[in-house]
Each structure stands twice: as structure tokens, then as C-alpha cells.
Amino acid sequence: MLCTRLTNARVLTMDPDHPVAHDLGVWRGRVVGVDEAVTSLPAREVIDLQGATVLPGFIDSHVHLAWTGLKASSPSLAGLERVEDALAVVREAVTRPSAPGAWVHIGGYDQRALGRHLTAAELDPVSDGRRVFLMHDSGHACVVNSAVLDQLPADIPHEDGLLVESAMGAVRRLRLPYAQEELADAIEYAGRACLAEGITAAAEAGIGGGLLGHSPVELGAYQLLRDQGRLPLRVQLMPGADTLRPVGAHERDGIPRGLDLGLRTGFGDDWLSVGALKIYTDGGMMARTAALTAPYEGTEGTGQLQDDPERLASLIVDGHLAGWQLAVHAIGDRAADLALDALEHAQTLRPRPDARHRIEHAGLIRPDQLPRFARLGLSAVVQPNFLRYFGDDYATIMGPHRAPWMYRGRGFLDHGITLVGSSDRPVTDGSPLRAVQFMVERASTSGRSIGPDESITVDEALRAYTVAGAYACRWDESAGSLSPGKRADFVVLGDDPRSVETSRIGDIEVVATFVDGREATEGQKL
């Protein structure tokens, strides 16, 4: 007997052997089969979907769940365009009751809206002596007041309270760690937001270290949620690369650096597992720190690498030798050059054909870099909503020659490169459907066309958030399509993305999300 049979549905299975079905059978959290294989079988529950569309649960292959939840509970500067209004938010936040010595953490900071960066000199009069930290929306910069600057080593560079990349990391080390209970609450909040958008699995892009780690024992917050039955969706965790250390392994193992006990990609189960090793090579376009081979339009700046190039390359090689899948953050084309060179060298030293290394963001990829991506078997984990919401700005700072190279779609697919969709939540909107719409339209919210030749089909965009996401996260044996034996994780939509006008895809209703064949969240009843 089946546990559940969905009937009267339009099931887009993403399985080429049976692309569209009307019935779907579930038993003990797994897909048993579709259509004639299950139609006549008895079931404890039969759900008539009245023609609704069903897709495999979306996979967001690059998110920041803890940051998302913490940001949601913090005062925010989002949408403010006047410096005086931003300072008023800081003044009010400082007066809120808090534990003695607690930092004042404020999110939603973006100098582009204000026209310039705030300064420590401006923050000091409204800080009442407390330590104030404004987190840039990109995750690659912050602004702090003098109470924080006074605690930093003298050699940490800043511009009147503005700190970027590794300098920001020095500030975060003063603030850390967060308690596991606080992180668990934030992760649960963000996970439920993902479920509401049809996302059933996500890859947390950096824990324990790097720019966005929150605690040296951060993995424990996810385990706490799992133990308490509060983990809303399946999560794969990417340790920050700076958590590696010399491990003294046997010389025949060829592992120069690793995590304790030799932990690496793949450890865990269907609900909580260790994924790729996250390695930062550069910054971001929003903060103007993505590392480019030519200056940002109208400036002399070319961004920056996170560290000495040789040290970054060594870290990539060591991670490969230790058996990790690597998720290399490279937004600018100069950072991509470094990543490609290092990965090519690593594969020469120890060939691993199924390493499934990933380039996170791949924000600006030159035409000559595409064949190298393909030869190395890399996945490109892109964030389409970056261009949907920030595309006007990004296209301007890249200029007309380079703008078509940003967050590619067609260029990757035509070279046989696995194109993977993700959000980088909370940097921008996490909705897979709105991202799918952009991948087809290649238009920002203002209507500006950005790299129209990089447009892909709706089917290809849906694949980026299902089949390709499962491949990039090494879940392809159990997720990504609604095939017999795979997990019964799926989303019920009010319309078929393939049949509505492209401009409507982002507004399709997410009716319900199922994990393990059970409804995890629901919208309007059918």
C-alpha cells in the first residue's frame, strides 16, 4: 500500500524517461513510480491536485541560512536613501534593551542607496559609546564606529570605519562567536522561508570560518535543530577553508591539510551532511571588490583577491589533495583565472575525474575561460537574481563590452558546463521562480536587457534548480527528479512555468512544499 498518491496533477518529473505524469506514488518518503505504475495501487491518502503542477523540490545550492535569520531579527537600513535617516536608525537601535556589552548589529547597509559610505565619525555621536557594526548587504564589507576601531590591531586597514574583505574579518573575530541556540533559531527561520518558496534542500555556503562563519562550533547549531526535530529542510554544510589545519596524516595519504579525523565531503545523511570546502578568492561586485583583469568602468580599481595568490592557490590544491569537493568563490574574471589555474594544477597532481568542483558565483567569465571550465568538469553556481535586482548597477560598472559576460546561462550550457541555480540568500531575493524568470528574460526589474544572448529556456532554467543542483551537491542519486527510488521532495505550483507568459513565472503561487512525502508548508488550499 502506498503512503500517498497524488492524482489529477501535471507532474514535471525532470526524468527524461517519463517527463510528464498525472499520478505520483509515495511510500516511506520515496517515490515509488508514476502513472500506470501506481494508479491502481491502494494508498492511505489520495490527494487530488485538481490540475496543479508538481516539480521536484527546488535545490538552492548556495545560501547563508544563519545570516538570513540573524539579519531578519536585526534593525535594518534597507531602502533608506538619506544619511540622516540611516543615522536615526542607528540611534534608535542603540537605545534598545540588550545585555551589558552587547554589540549593536545593523543589517541592510548598502552605500549605493545612500550615495556614499557612512563613516565612524558620523556613527560615534549616535552610538552612546556602544560598539556598532553595520553589515554590508554583500557580506564583503562593514562600517563600524570608533568603539570598534579602538579594539582592532593598528595594522588593520580601514577608511574612516569602512572595512572590506579580510579587514572585515578582523572585526567579525572581535564579535564572534554566536551561541548555538541563537544560530539554531536563525537557521530555522531561514529554512522555513526557503520552504515557502518551494525549496526542499540547500547548501549552506560557509560555516565555522571564512567571511561569514558565526562560531567555531557552528555545525553544532544544525545538529541541535536536527536533534530537536526543528530542521525544516535538508542542509548540506560547506566548512570555510580556513578551518583546515595540518593533520599529520600518513605520508601515503597525501593529505597536507584537513579537518580533524579526516572529515570531508560526503559525511552525514539525507538531512544533514558535509558538502564542499568553501574557498574565497575575491570579493563582490556590490562592494566593488570582485577581482577583475581590467578596472571597473570609470575607475582605476580592479577589486582585490582575498590573500596572496600563491597562498590561495595552495589552499585550493591542498583541499583537492585531501579529497574535498571544492566550492571556490570567484566573482571577477581575475579570480576565476586564479581558480582555474589552481584546479588544473591540482588535477594534474592527483586526477579526480568526479571531484565535481564548483565555481561559486562565476560572476564575470570571459569567453576564453569557458572552454577551461568545461575541460575541468566544473559546475557554475550562479545567482540569477543578482542581475534581476542589481543588474542596472552591475552592467554600468562592467561597461557594454563586459556586461554580456555576467552570470552567464547559454554560454555555460553550450560549452557543456553544468549550470546550477542558487540565491546567496540573504544578499538578494531567494525565490527560484523569480530567478528562473530572469534566466529566460535576462531583464532587470527596470526592464534593462542584460546579456540577452545568455538567455536559456524555461526547461533549462528549471533543470538548474533541480537536476543540476542535485548534481552539484552530490545528491543526484537521491534528488533532483521525481524518479522511482528518489526522495519524495516536491513543490506544488499554481501554474506550469512552461506554459505561462515568461513575465508571470516569478509570480506563480507556491501552493505547498512536501519533504519526505509529507507537507512541510502550505499556501492557499486547492
Side-chain angles (χ1 to χ4, degrees), residues 140-372:
H140 290 271
C142 67
V143 175
V144 300
N145 64 348
S146 296
V148 176
L149 295 176
D150 291 344
Q151 292 186 267
L152 289 172
D155 61 346
I156 299 297
H158 71 90
E159 296 180 21
D160 199 4
L162 169 68
L163 300 100
V164 301
E165 307 303 344
S166 58
M168 183 191 78
V171 175
R172 284 178 57 81
R173 285 191 291 274
L174 290 176
R175 164 64 180 85
L176 299 178
Y178 287 83
Q180 286 189 357
E181 293 86 350
E182 185 177 7
L183 292 176
D185 289 343
I187 294 161
E188 182 182 20
Y189 173 91
R192 297 202 177 282
C194 288
L195 284 176
E197 293 175 338
I199 298 164
T200 57
E204 170 68 64
I207 66 165
L211 288 176
L212 296 172
H214 295 90
S215 167
V217 291
E218 193 167 356
L219 190 150
Y222 292 86
Q223 288 184 296
L224 178 63
L225 281 174
R226 175 72 187 276
D227 292 345
Q228 295 176 346
R230 296 167 51 205
L231 189 61
L233 74 170
R234 304 182 197 278
V235 180
Q236 188 180 85
L237 304 172
M238 299 184 197
D242 53 349
T243 60
L244 297 188
R245 63 182 184 84
V247 290
H250 194 283
E251 61 181 16
R252 287 204 303 269
D253 293 337
I255 301 176
R257 283 183 276 183
L259 294 187
D260 288 342
L261 303 178
L263 191 73
R264 59 180 173 84
T265 304
F267 184 81
D269 59 24
D270 275 355
W271 274 93
L272 186 61
S273 60
V274 175
L277 183 72
K278 176 73 177 293
I279 300 176
Y280 287 93
T281 64
D282 70 342
M285 287 187 189
M286 193 188 303
R288 311 309 196 234
T289 53
L292 310 179
T293 53
Y296 289 91
E297 196 77 3
T299 76
E300 297 181 357
T302 57
Q304 65 185 74
L305 297 172
Q306 291 285 350
D307 201 345
D308 175 80
E310 291 186 3
R311 283 196 289 269
L312 290 172
S314 174
L315 187 56
I316 290 171
V317 170
D318 285 357
H320 173 88
L321 295 178
W324 285 91
Q325 179 190 20
L326 302 180
V328 184
H329 168 116
I331 292 184
D333 61 330
R334 176 158 56 105
D337 279 335
L338 185 152
L340 292 167
D341 289 345
L343 289 167
E344 187 170 42
H345 180 55
Q347 288 284 17
T348 300
L349 294 175
R350 180 176 295 172
R352 290 174 52 205
D354 194 38
R356 303 198 196 182
H357 296 323
R358 312 156 36 140
I359 300 296
E360 307 300 300
H361 307 296
L364 186 73
I365 301 300
R366 303 187 309 269
D368 64 287
Q369 293 173 320
L370 292 171
R372 297 192 68 192

Side-chain angles (χ1 to χ4, degrees), residues 437-456:
Q437 179 176 323
F438 174 83
M439 296 170 90
V440 179
E441 287 184 326
R442 297 291 300 191
S444 70
T445 53
S446 74
R448 180 172 181 172
S449 179
I450 303 170
D453 290 344
E454 291 296 323
S455 173
I456 62 176

Side-chain angles (χ1 to χ4, degrees), residues 489-513:
D489 296 352
F490 49 88
V491 56
V492 180
L493 302 178
D495 278 301
D496 182 346
R498 305 186 310 175
S499 63
V500 302
E501 291 291 329
T502 302
S503 61
R504 291 183 51 215
I505 292 175
D507 294 324
I508 291 175
E509 179 192 3
V510 175
V511 177
T513 305

